[in-house]
Amino acid sequence: MPRPYENLTFSQIWDNYDSFKADYDALIGGFPQSSALKADSIKTTFYLLYAKYGNDPIASNDIGQFKMQVFSVMFAYGPTWERKQEIQNSIRALAESDLLQGAKQIYNHALNPNSSPATGTLEELSYINDQNTANHKKSKMEAYSILWSLLHAEATNEYITKFKKFFSAFVDKMHTLFYIDNDDDFVIQEDDD
């Protein structure tokens, strides 16, 4: 059966997570481990890529290079995406009481202290005469506005879009290739598939 595209699609290269993970482990083995993704993030990346680009033909004719390109993006941008996801999960889990809590400010006054702060530093005096505090509380509207703006982050979309350049921008059916042999006769290339 002939392939519908000139180049292989993502799902023809990796039709399941196990083959993707095996290639990831084999090719990323030489990368520094400090930037390695967690197992769940590798799996999530595969399924997100499969959902977005599963039937898209790759832009490169070299499958090995394509694999390294995909894993290079995972190496470069994956840890940041992973951390943003953790932060998003923490933000989503905030209780309303946490959202309404504002900043606390403390004002200390020291009259004739025994010590003086070093010039140019932010050292606190060990002795104070007077202290005032200000506790701010956000309104529900303000708290929810801040939460809304934080939840509107598109970390996953930004991450998956980084892979777009590795897929063909011109998706068209494969055309029959014609070659001329030494006798100036046309030869039609038959697809082995």
Side-chain angles (χ1 to χ4, degrees), residues 1-66:
M1 180 176 169
R3 291 195 322 248
Y5 303 111
E6 184 76 28
N7 292 343
L8 295 175
T9 64
F10 180 89
S11 62
Q12 288 172 321
I13 294 171
W14 293 303
D15 64 343
N16 61 59
Y17 171 69
D18 292 333
S19 64
F20 180 83
K21 180 69 164 81
D23 285 345
Y24 178 86
D25 290 340
L27 295 173
I28 294 293
F31 284 45
Q33 293 304 311
S34 62
S35 61
L37 290 174
K38 296 175 185 168
D40 286 345
S41 295
I42 297 167
K43 187 179 273 192
T44 301
T45 298
F46 169 75
Y47 287 116
L48 290 170
L49 289 173
Y50 196 95
K52 178 87 173 173
Y53 304 110
N55 292 324
D56 293 354
I58 65 172
S60 176
N61 290 325
D62 184 343
I63 295 171
Q65 181 186 33
F66 167 75

Side-chain angles (χ1 to χ4, degrees), residues 95-104 135-139 143:
E96 188 171 292
S97 60
D98 294 328
L99 295 173
L100 296 174
Q101 186 177 2
K104 180 174 186 173
N135 295 316
H136 299 280
K137 185 177 178 183
K138 296 182 187 108
S139 69

Side-chain angles (χ1 to χ4, degrees), residues 72-111:
S72 294
V73 168
M74 290 174 69
F75 170 81
Y77 300 101
T80 302
W81 165 72
E82 191 174 60
R83 184 67 177 128
K84 286 180 177 179
Q85 290 301 108
E86 290 170 4
I87 293 168
Q88 281 285 316
N89 291 339
S90 296
I91 291 170
R92 284 187 197 108
L94 285 174
E96 188 171 292
S97 60
D98 294 328
L99 295 173
L100 296 174
Q101 186 177 2
K104 180 174 186 173
Q105 297 173 338
I106 301 174
Y107 303 97
N108 293 324
H109 301 279
L111 303 174

Side-chain angles (χ1 to χ4, degrees), residues 164-183:
K164 183 178 182 177
K165 60 188 168 197
F166 306 130
F167 295 92
S168 179
F170 306 102
V171 180
D172 195 6
K173 297 288 185 199
M174 184 171 87
H175 302 293
T176 304
L177 300 176
F178 294 94
Y179 296 94
I180 300 176
D181 67 5
N182 292 340
D183 298 327

Side-chain angles (χ1 to χ4, degrees), residues 108-122:
N108 293 324
H109 301 279
L111 303 174
N112 303 318
N114 289 340
S115 62
S116 60
T119 306
T121 65
L122 297 177

